[in-house]
Amino acid sequence: MTVRGDFREPARPRPELVIGREELFAGAREQLSGGGSVLVHGPAGIGKSSVLRALAAECAESAQTVLRCSATESESHLPFLALADLLGLVVDEIADRLPAPQRTALESALTGRGESTLQRDGLALRLAVLSAFRALAARGPVLIVADDLQWLDPASAELLGFAARRLGGTPVRMLCAVRTETEPQAQDHDRYLRASVPETLALRVAPLARAQVAELLAQRGYTGLPRSTVRDIHRTSGGNPLFALELGRALAESPTRPSPGEPLPVPTSLRALVLSRLDLLSAEARRTLLVASAGARPTLALLHAAGRENAEAETASAAALGLLATERDAPGIRFAHPLVSAALYAEADAQERRAAHSALSRAASDPIERARHLALSTTGTDPAVAARLGEAAAAARDRGAPSVAVGLGLLAARHTPAGTRPGPDERRLQAAEDALTAGETDLARDIARQVLARATAPADRVRAWMVVIDAAGQAMAEIDAVFPQALADAGDDPGLVARVRYQLGWRALLMDGEMTKAREEAARAARLAARAGDRRTELLALGFQAQMETLMGHPDAPSTIQRAMREPQDPRVACDHNGAGAARFRWLIMGDRLAEARTAITALLREVQRRGMVESELHFLRGLAETELRSGHCGRALDLARESLRLARDTGIGEAAAAMLTSLAEAAGGDVDRALSLAHEAVDRAEEDGDMVYLSRTLGALGHAQLVAGDAAAAVRSLRRVRELEEALGVIDPARGRWHGDLAEALVRIGETAEAQDVIDVTRRRALRLERESVLAVLDRAEALVRAARGEQGPAERQLASAQDRLGKLGYGLEEARAAYVLAGLRAFPQASSGSARTAGTALPGPTSYDEAARLFRRCRALPWLRQVEAASALPPAAPPLAPAALDTLAATERQVAALVMEGATNREIAGRLFISVKTVEATLTRVYRKLGIRSRVDIVRLAAERRPD
């Protein structure tokens, strides 16, 4: 495709156009910083020039000389033009360093004086360009920046290639961009690579993902676009940023936006990219391509069935013009770029489109496709067409394609006459509910708002309010005024009131943080729904009630789950993320039944993926990731968590929850800095949404990441907030967030052992009542640290060994490895005395090295923890302890710090060995100096040497 000059490109710098290029930039920077060269390539409009400008701006700072050229198609016939751009301003500076014949030839080529040609002065010109680059390089590093190599005039391209191939070993870097075909497998750039500096790195600029297109549009000011529209922009643009921006601009300038299923307005600037080539096709071939553009999956067989008798020859001629992609042995017909199809369809008039759809309504074999084409070929209302579309929408729903059902449902509403059953609003509301299922929450909300603007029937209005509330997700504060309106519309109808009360339960939880009230509202909704015979709402309410009771540690939780799982069941509620199956999974995982939990969540995930239930899929991906994380399968958990985060960002659903879970997975098996970043993001989102429930969860993830990162003081601040929030929420079950052991451990590290013991004691009482064995084992691990800080070395080691064994038997691989790590740290530390720390004559089991911890962390693929083990095991072996006479005045922690100082350990190393903060080490040393009457670390070593017996 040829990009025309009528795009509206502002002159200001546009850093947003390098969105989604992080990996490409990292590779380019590494290559350029090492003195290498880079060739950026990709199709028109993909952002090559933007990438080139950004990289050139970075590299220019380290170059003595920067030479630039940017060719255009209209000037590519002018010989030596690019060479003049590169060397015209510097030739005078180095002319006296060139031999006379070379200087003459070069000046003639650059100025146009004389009749210099490659044929006549070829060798002299080639050598002159090479000598010029070498002369410039002798003064300092040279950076050559060349854009649009495909438009270089042949003479300049030949000379530049000749010099580049011979510049190896000189401080000359080339940063170039060239347009190549759309297909990734095309190797068009090879010939440019062969004409570049040796070992040039070729980097393809790939299309943007949908989330990146959304970010690009938002940064450019095209905000407020529904996600379904952004999805259409991404599909039509093929991820090309320039095309996406042009489509976004056309939508912004359009007085009316297309309805779901309708084509996007394609601006003239984009149509011109392809329509000029259509003029070379016959009228019949163009009609054939229009039918192909209207079809969902066009094939030659489909075109024949639609009456296009010469489809083979007509598509072959289109492929020769580059309008269709040629794929050997492929049955389908594929346009070279989605924009070709969109522009072709947009250019056709309404009658031509209806004719194409009419032909396809008879030719398509799939009943859903036939119904869609029938609707698009029909004008006005038609009950028969509406009925067929309603059936097609139901079929799409059953196939797990709710987004398809949305479009069909809206088409059905358009063709449904007023006064029929189901009516237009009922069909629209069904489409809105399908949109919720598909994860298109903004589209669902817009449809519901349209219904509310004209509907008077209480059932339709309440149903629409429920869509508005569900579309808000965790951000219920934004639609708080909806609830009294919904209750007013429900009147005294028990079925309608039940639906509103169910949502009021969620409001009580998310906005007020009142689990008891949420449980009461859920129970009330279940009773009302049962009285009204609304089994679906009854099941949802019971599932919600069971979740609240599970989190509260309420004894009725198992019986409520059983009630929610009794027949009759609604198949969609059974696998819904708010249904009984999800409540049972939460009950299983909190009860340490990891294998059963994995089986349950895997089945739920498989079913919602089959049905296309996007929000439920997100929940269950996180649930499976959490199960794998608890089981110590950190690599698998990280993959699942990242998948859930990608889906959350793509749909805008549950981003705080996905970021929180991914933070936990990153802290366990990925990158700690990324874990911290994601946890901060999750906390910010939860606070912005006013979501008290997820705020405590996100702060728990933040505290955990801070602990893994070695910032115990920050972890304490975060986890203390979690403790306060959960007490206010009424969360009793410590298996819900499992932050208690982390808080106790962090408190020990900063020297707050009394508070750590209080956390342990309070949590242990609750865990004992609820029989949370894994929580009890983790508390024992934390309590062992408290004991060790008090100098009770032997009991601490025995408690740790027991905790490790129990966690291993329960299947908590990562927690088992953490216990082994703490145990190894205690055993590696020298004992100050045998009387107070251990029971005389008691042999302690197990090795005294970090090998076991390293083995367990390696089995879990817990990379951040494994790095900690490797750092700890690399420390020097323990030195002999200080003499008992000198230790008498020191507390246990002070003796430990002093002994490590003797080894030569730094304050940070001491903090890591003793699980305390650096500030605590510094404060402890100050007390040691005061008690021993010394001034520095050197005095500790000297004092120990003086008092050590011969």
Side-chain angles (χ1 to χ4, degrees):
M1 297 181 187
T2 301
V3 177
R4 297 171 61 90
D6 54 358
F7 289 109
R8 300 181 183 178
E9 297 290 353
R12 64 182 176 84
R14 293 172 297 149
E16 69 271 14
L17 287 188
V18 296
I19 287 171
R21 309 302 188 199
E22 293 81 5
E23 188 174 344
L24 183 148
F25 267 77
R29 287 190 184 106
E30 183 179 358
Q31 174 78 357
L32 291 164
S33 63
S37 297
V38 170
L39 175 68
V40 175
H41 66 99
I46 201 69
K48 302 180 298 299
S49 296
S50 299
V51 169
L52 198 73
R53 285 194 297 269
L55 288 171
E58 292 182 10
C59 297
E61 299 176 2
S62 61
Q64 175 72 27
T65 304
V66 180
L67 307 175
R68 301 176 186 270
C69 72
S70 182
T72 62
E73 184 179 15
S74 62
E75 298 172 339
S76 60
H77 66 284
L78 299 175
F80 305 121
L81 183 60
L83 187 66
D85 287 342
L86 288 171
L87 296 176
L89 297 178
V90 298
V91 66
D92 292 340
E93 301 173 20
I94 46 98
D96 59 347
R97 304 186 60 181
L98 304 182
Q102 295 180 21
R103 182 170 62 249
T104 301
L106 183 59
E107 289 176 347
S108 178
L110 295 180
T111 62
R113 294 190 298 270
E115 294 295 325
S116 181
T117 65
L118 275 179
Q119 288 72 25
R120 194 182 71 183
D121 302 316
L123 181 58
L125 268 176
R126 287 173 172 83
L127 293 175
V129 173
L130 178 59
S131 298
F133 287 147
R134 285 175 173 167
L136 290 169
R139 304 189 311 180
V142 176
L143 176 65
I144 299 173
V145 182
D147 198 3
D148 282 319
L149 289 183
Q150 75 278 0
W151 302 133
L152 249 62
D153 62 275
S156 295
E158 168 63 26
L159 293 171
L160 188 59
F162 175 86
R165 290 189 294 272
R166 290 161 177 81
L167 284 173
T170 61
V172 176
R173 293 174 295 172
M174 294 184 69
L175 180 55
C176 305
V178 63
R179 182 184 303 176
T180 52
E181 290 298 325
T182 302
E183 298 301 318
Q185 62 269 26
Q187 298 297 311
D188 308 29
H189 66 281
D190 274 1
R191 61 192 179 98
Y192 298 99
L193 200 58
R194 289 192 293 270
S196 302
V197 172
E199 298 184 3
T200 293
L201 175 67
L203 294 172
R204 177 178 174 78
V205 185
L208 297 178
R210 179 163 58 166
Q212 293 163 346
V213 166
E215 183 182 358
L216 174 64
L217 291 167
Q219 285 198 7
R220 206 59 182 277
Y222 304 134
T223 56
L225 295 174
R227 288 183 180 272
S228 56
T229 301
V230 173
R231 179 195 62 202
D232 291 342
I233 290 175
H234 176 257
R235 183 182 64 245
T236 304
S237 69
N240 185 301
L242 187 58
F243 298 169
L245 287 171
E246 285 296 296
L247 290 167
R249 177 168 64 84
L251 281 169
E253 295 175 352
S254 175
T256 58
R257 290 183 178 173
S259 301
E262 291 183 347
L264 294 176
V266 180
T268 304
S269 56
L270 291 184
R271 294 188 197 185
L273 295 177
V274 295
L275 294 182
S276 59
R277 277 177 281 175
L278 288 174
D279 294 337
L280 302 176
L281 290 174
S282 67
E284 289 301 311
R286 186 164 176 160
R287 289 192 189 96
T288 295
L289 288 192
L290 176 60
V291 173
S293 72
R297 293 174 296 277
T299 63
L300 286 172
L302 179 65
L303 293 177
H304 281 303
R308 309 313 302 167
E309 298 177 356
N310 299 317
E312 285 90 347
E314 290 162 351
T315 55
S317 62
L321 291 171
L323 295 167
L324 296 179
T326 54
E327 294 183 353
R328 191 173 297 175
D329 301 327
I333 294 172
R334 188 165 64 85
F335 286 89
H337 191 280
L339 186 62
V340 177
S341 175
L344 181 67
Y345 191 88
E347 187 71 9
D349 61 36
Q351 186 176 352
E352 289 174 322
R353 293 181 191 176
R354 284 197 297 271
H357 286 296
S358 178
L360 288 168
S361 70
R362 298 184 296 272
S365 58
D366 184 81
I368 293 176
E369 278 300 296
R370 286 201 303 271
R372 184 177 75 87
H373 289 301
L374 177 62
L376 293 172
S377 65
T378 305
T379 58
T381 59
D382 187 322
V385 171
R388 285 188 59 180
L389 285 165
E391 293 168 1
R397 202 174 302 121
D398 291 341
R399 289 185 188 180
S403 59
V404 174
V406 175
L408 293 168
L410 291 175
L411 284 172
R414 186 188 306 172
H415 290 285
T416 300
T420 58
R421 301 292 296 178
D425 282 342
E426 289 178 85
R427 294 196 186 279
R428 290 187 183 95
L429 287 170
Q430 180 60 65
E433 290 164 357
D434 287 332
L436 284 177
T437 301
E440 298 178 7
T441 53
D442 49 358
L443 175 59
R445 182 188 59 247
D446 290 347
I447 297 171
R449 292 285 188 187
Q450 291 170 15
V451 171
L452 286 166
R454 56 176 172 267
T456 56
D460 287 346
R461 293 189 61 80
V462 170
R463 189 176 176 185
W465 287 128
M466 295 305 99
V467 171
V468 171
I469 294 170
D470 283 335
Q474 308 295 115
M476 279 200 170
E478 298 176 3
I479 45 95
D480 197 30
V482 161
F483 292 97
Q485 298 178 63
L487 272 176
D489 283 333
D492 57 1
D493 185 313
L496 299 180
V497 174
R499 300 186 71 176
V500 181
R501 286 291 168 192
Y502 168 70
Q503 296 289 8
L504 283 169
W506 280 104
R507 183 195 178 282
L509 175 67
L510 297 177
M511 289 186 59
D512 302 332
E514 296 183 13
M515 282 194 175
T516 300
K517 184 178 178 182
R519 174 181 176 270
E520 291 170 355
E521 288 285 10
R524 184 177 179 183
R527 290 192 298 270
L528 285 167
R531 193 199 322 167
D534 182 356
R535 182 61 171 163
R536 182 181 185 278
T537 301
E538 181 189 7
L539 289 170
L540 284 170
L542 287 172
F544 182 41
Q545 180 184 343
Q547 287 193 55
M548 293 302 95
E549 291 172 350
T550 299
L551 296 177
M552 295 167 62
H554 197 286
D556 289 349
S559 61
T560 304
I561 292 174
Q562 289 179 355
R563 286 173 58 203
M565 300 191 76
R566 289 176 192 156
E567 296 295 338
Q569 284 290 318
D570 182 314
R572 297 186 69 80
V573 174
C575 63
D576 189 273
H577 59 280
N578 290 323
R584 179 174 176 271
F585 159 73
R586 182 56 50 195
W587 183 71
L588 288 170
I589 198 170
M590 291 174 66
D592 300 327
R593 296 163 67 173
L594 295 181
E596 293 177 73
R598 181 183 292 105
T599 300
I601 198 70
T602 301
L604 287 168
L605 177 60
R606 187 181 300 116
E607 180 62 16
V608 297
Q609 286 175 332
R610 185 186 72 80
R611 291 178 176 271
M613 299 169 66
V614 173
E615 186 172 3
S616 293
E617 180 182 359
L618 268 166
H619 276 264
F620 297 150
L621 275 172
R622 295 199 303 268
L624 184 55
E626 181 184 353
T627 308
E628 299 296 356
L629 197 57
R630 300 256 176 266
S631 303
H633 304 152
C634 298
R636 170 73 172 147
L638 186 57
D639 289 343
L640 288 164
R642 286 174 175 172
E643 183 182 350
S644 76
L645 184 60
R646 283 192 296 271
L647 185 57
R649 295 208 193 287
D650 196 34
T651 60
I653 299 173
E655 291 186 75
M660 173 208 71
L661 198 281
T662 310
S663 171
L664 292 171
E666 291 283 357
D671 180 81
V672 178
D673 288 339
R674 177 148 176 79
L676 287 166
S677 174
L678 286 168
H680 279 295
E681 175 193 335
V683 170
D684 291 344
R685 285 185 178 275
E687 288 181 327
E688 183 181 323
D689 290 343
D691 185 343
M692 303 300 293
V693 175
Y694 262 109
L695 180 57
S696 69
R697 296 292 306 274
T698 56
L699 283 167
L702 177 59
H704 178 74
Q706 290 165 332
L707 182 65
V708 177
D711 191 349
V716 167
R717 289 193 296 272
S718 298
L719 296 175
R720 278 174 174 163
R721 284 189 66 192
V722 177
R723 191 181 190 191
E724 294 169 1
L725 283 168
E726 291 207 349
E727 289 296 330
L729 284 167
V731 177
I732 301 300
D733 196 330
R736 183 244 187 183
R738 297 177 181 269
W739 48 266
H740 313 75
D742 283 347
L743 175 55
E745 182 175 330
L747 286 165
V748 173
R749 290 192 186 191
I750 66 170
E752 299 289 347
T753 54
E755 185 181 349
Q757 189 64 57
D758 176 67
V759 171
I760 292 166
D761 292 342
V762 171
T763 309
R764 180 178 281 131
R765 286 193 293 271
R766 294 173 177 175
L768 283 168
R769 179 173 66 83
L770 296 169
E771 299 180 342
R772 302 306 192 211
E773 292 300 324
S774 63
V775 174
L776 291 168
V778 168
L779 292 174
D780 280 352
R781 185 185 69 207
E783 190 171 49
L785 287 171
V786 175
R787 287 185 163 185
R790 293 171 178 166
E792 302 172 18
Q793 189 77 17
E797 290 187 21
R798 285 188 289 276
Q799 192 170 18
L800 274 170
S802 172
Q804 178 185 341
D805 180 65
R806 286 151 53 207
L807 287 166
K809 289 177 179 176
L810 288 168
Y812 285 78
L814 182 57
E815 301 294 351
E816 175 193 7
R818 286 181 63 180
Y821 176 39
V822 175
L823 180 58
L826 292 186
R827 283 174 169 165
F829 184 75
Q831 300 308 309
S833 79
S834 59
S836 61
R838 301 187 186 187
T839 303
T842 301
L844 293 175
T848 58
S849 71
Y850 288 95
D851 293 346
E852 174 69 0
R855 181 185 68 81
L856 292 173
F857 281 133
R858 197 172 291 112
R859 183 182 69 183
C860 294
R861 288 184 59 192
L863 301 182
W865 291 101
L866 187 59
R867 284 189 284 269
Q868 289 191 35
V869 173
E870 291 170 348
S873 60
L875 291 174
L882 286 166
L887 295 171
D888 289 343
T889 60
L890 302 182
T893 301
E894 294 167 350
R895 289 196 299 271
Q896 293 171 331
V897 170
L900 284 170
V901 167
M902 275 188 53
E903 299 178 23
T906 66
N907 287 1
R908 185 169 295 279
E909 290 169 341
I910 294 171
R913 288 279 288 273
L914 299 184
F915 301 97
I916 58 179
S917 70
V918 173
K919 288 186 178 180
T920 302
V921 173
E922 294 169 351
T924 303
L925 277 175
T926 300
R927 293 195 301 272
V928 169
Y929 298 156
R930 184 177 65 251
K931 289 182 178 182
L932 297 181
I934 59 178
R935 295 183 178 180
S936 68
R937 299 164 63 94
V938 175
D939 291 334
I940 293 178
V941 178
R942 177 184 53 75
L943 180 62
E946 290 174 355
R947 300 190 180 188
R948 188 177 295 134
D950 296 333

